[in-house]
Amino acid sequence: MAVFKKLVRSAEGAHVPHNKNTEDFETVKMPVPARVYIPMSMHIGAPAKACVKKGSVVCVGDVIGEAGGFVSAPIHSSVSGKVFAIDEIQNPNGTKSQVVVIDTDGLQTVSESVKAPEVTDHASFVEAIRNSGLVGLGGAGFPTSVKLAPKNLDDVDTLVINAAECEPYITADYREMMECGEDVVEGAKAVKKYLNIANVIIGIEANKPKAIEKMTALISGLEGFKVATLPSVYPQGAEKILIETTTGREVPQGKLPADIGVLVMNVASAGFVARYLKTGMPLITKRITVDGDAIAEPKNIEVAIGTLVKDVVEFCGGFSQEPGKVIYGGPMMGTALADIDRPILKQNNAVLAFGRQSALMPEASACIRCGKCINACPMGLAPVEIALALSVKDADELKALYTDLCMECGSCSFVCPAKRPVAQTMKEAKDFLRKAAK
């Protein structure tokens, strides 16, 4: 087998259909349901710990889960009402965590604790963001306060705002720009100010000309700001790809963006920062796209965190046909749900539902060694060789092939003419390598 001596990215990606059906649908605020289920694990790192009890009366914005460690985030009530139970829930990744179940009273009484934070410097800014409960809203869910306090802060010179939204169907970030573009700029300005960052780049895919025009107008005259038009090729919004496209810098294996002087923030996260600094209202709602051929009335909605997917679907007219698959997120990197009794999380940006025919997996045939998966891989990996190394359980070869760099974007599976489960094999190889390292 060949062994890579140096990582070379083709960055070709996949030309997926955009299907931005809801791009012109203004966000609709969904009424709070009768009951919400708010998990204590909605972020990378240590889960929060429930700090309320059954029978506790809560208001909108009350802390109901305290951060469980440095890499963690507090959880706030998205509703006013009474705690029905402290239970256990299965997370999308299969693990289990606490969930606070709240019966809503319909009043949406705001907590007295909700007030604009006093921010004067970097330390107080980071503390405010930590108290807000903000985590990466683009899907990863990394606690934002940790990201904003890198050890080498003085070396960070560029903030990249991720507005690519390259997954098919999803238009929530697009609506953030079109409806709250001023907030996005104000949030970016706050990060720039308190972290003393020289440059801000807002990266938007070329298939969003109205957003590019609007954001360009909003930053006109602002020192250090610019809008970068990105190629409309999936997965342009992936952190490492976005950094390379906007700055020309490459994040080395095992390093973080801050190590090369860059911080990346989702566009919705930037908008939230501005609103939180003005109002003190923590992260309790999420704008999501609800779409797919099994959804009767596709919408962009603002929904209380903890609302069940079944309530979201009902608000969108129910299913137009029997669903074959319901997904958190997009069709490329989203997570299929076992059932729709699952709550909306902080990092959800979409709920997609597809009919049985659309969700049907094509029958795979033998690999023809065409190399399309290699050309499509944005990290320049060789899925065919990785699959072969996995088949013989060769951990050394998997390491030499940079298997751990796979971002599980699914481009390889999308372009495979044999319809093989290439992305699933890559994930299996990563898991095997991780276990072998232990």
Side-chain angles (χ1 to χ4, degrees):
M1 296 183 203
V3 177
F4 294 155
K5 293 183 179 179
K6 181 180 182 298
L7 174 63
V8 178
R9 295 189 195 148
S10 66
E12 183 173 314
H15 294 272
V16 300
H18 300 299
N19 293 332
K20 303 292 188 178
N21 309 315
T22 59
E23 66 179 358
D24 294 324
F25 292 14
E26 290 190 10
T27 306
V28 179
K29 190 174 181 66
M30 177 180 166
V32 295
R35 179 175 287 178
V36 295
Y37 297 72
I38 306 179
M40 295 295 99
S41 181
M42 293 190 280
H43 50 263
I44 291 174
K49 299 176 182 178
C51 58
V52 291
K53 298 179 180 179
K54 180 178 179 180
S56 296
V57 175
V58 297
C59 295
V60 176
D62 276 339
V63 175
I64 59 173
E66 296 175 338
F70 176 68
V71 183
S72 187
I75 308 292
H76 302 80
S77 178
S78 59
V79 297
S80 61
K82 183 179 289 187
V83 176
F84 174 77
I86 308 296
D87 210 337
E88 190 176 67
I89 193 171
Q90 186 174 40
N91 301 315
N93 62 5
T95 62
K96 292 184 178 181
S97 68
Q98 280 185 317
V99 62
V100 176
V101 185
I102 304 173
D103 285 336
T104 63
D105 58 17
L107 302 176
Q108 287 301 87
T109 305
V110 176
S111 171
E112 293 180 356
S113 66
V114 173
K115 55 185 178 181
E118 294 184 10
V119 176
T120 58
D121 55 14
H122 176 247
S124 58
F125 178 63
V126 171
E127 181 65 17
I129 297 304
R130 181 174 176 82
N131 292 338
S132 77
L134 180 61
V135 302
L137 300 182
F142 190 82
T144 305
S145 62
V146 179
K147 179 182 289 188
L148 296 180
K151 294 179 180 179
N152 64 328
L153 179 58
D154 291 342
D155 298 328
V156 176
D157 59 19
T158 302
L159 170 67
V160 177
I161 302 297
N162 188 351
E165 198 164 47
C166 56
E167 277 263 15
Y169 292 95
I170 307 177
T171 62
D173 284 351
Y174 177 76
R175 294 313 309 174
E176 177 74 25
M177 289 184 282
M178 299 307 294
E179 297 172 30
C180 307
E182 293 83 357
D183 289 342
V184 173
V185 174
E186 287 302 312
K189 285 169 64 177
V191 176
K192 183 179 188 294
K193 174 183 177 180
Y194 292 114
L195 273 67
N196 193 29
I197 296 176
N199 308 301
V200 177
I201 304 173
I202 303 174
I204 310 173
E205 275 197 321
N207 64 352
K208 304 173 182 65
K210 292 180 182 178
I212 292 171
E213 180 181 4
K214 177 166 186 174
M215 299 310 295
T216 299
L218 287 174
I219 66 166
S220 178
L222 294 180
E223 184 178 355
F225 276 75
K226 77 172 184 177
V227 170
T229 300
L230 311 174
S232 297
V233 180
Y234 178 83
Q236 192 59 239
E239 187 173 70
K240 292 181 179 180
I241 306 305
L242 179 67
I243 290 171
E244 188 170 355
T245 305
T246 55
T247 70
R249 306 175 193 177
E250 182 175 310
V251 181
Q253 184 179 19
K255 298 294 184 179
L256 297 173
D259 293 323
I260 59 167
V262 179
L263 291 182
V264 178
M265 179 178 284
N266 174 262
V267 66
S269 299
F272 170 82
V273 167
R275 293 187 288 273
Y276 179 71
L277 293 179
K278 293 175 186 175
T279 68
M281 181 60 73
L283 183 57
I284 58 166
T285 65
K286 190 68 171 66
R287 179 190 282 107
I288 63 172
T289 298
V290 187
D291 200 359
D293 61 13
I295 295 293
E297 301 170 10
K299 290 181 171 72
N300 284 303
I301 67 173
E302 181 184 348
V303 58
I305 290 169
T307 300
L308 294 183
V309 170
K310 69 178 181 182
D311 293 325
V312 168
V313 172
E314 183 179 348
F315 180 68
C316 294
F319 291 120
S320 59
Q321 59 179 295
E322 185 178 359
K325 185 174 289 187
V326 180
I327 304 173
Y328 273 152
M332 299 297 288
M333 293 186 72
T335 302
L337 302 181
D339 55 66
I340 58 174
D341 289 319
R342 307 280 170 161
I344 298 300
L345 311 175
K346 289 181 179 182
Q347 65 268 45
N348 288 154
N349 51 13
V351 169
L352 305 181
F354 299 98
R356 292 193 174 277
Q357 189 61 38
S358 299
L360 191 66
M361 295 293 291
E363 186 175 349
S365 58
C367 174
I368 59 174
R369 300 297 193 272
C370 65
K372 288 187 176 181
C373 58
I374 299 174
N375 292 333
C377 179
M379 301 304 291
L381 304 181
V384 175
E385 295 188 14
I386 288 172
L388 183 57
L390 176 64
S391 69
V392 295
K393 308 298 183 184
D394 190 339
D396 290 336
E397 184 69 2
L398 288 172
K399 185 176 180 180
L401 290 168
Y402 297 96
T403 302
D404 60 335
L405 286 179
C406 172
M407 64 179 73
E408 301 175 30
C409 68
S411 296
C412 49
S413 288
F414 182 82
V415 302
C416 178
K419 306 302 180 186
R420 298 187 63 77
V422 189
Q424 292 90 327
T425 301
M426 293 292 288
K427 180 175 176 59
E428 185 180 349
K430 284 178 64 180
D431 290 342
F432 173 78
L433 186 59
R434 191 178 299 114
K435 292 175 182 177
K438 291 181 180 180

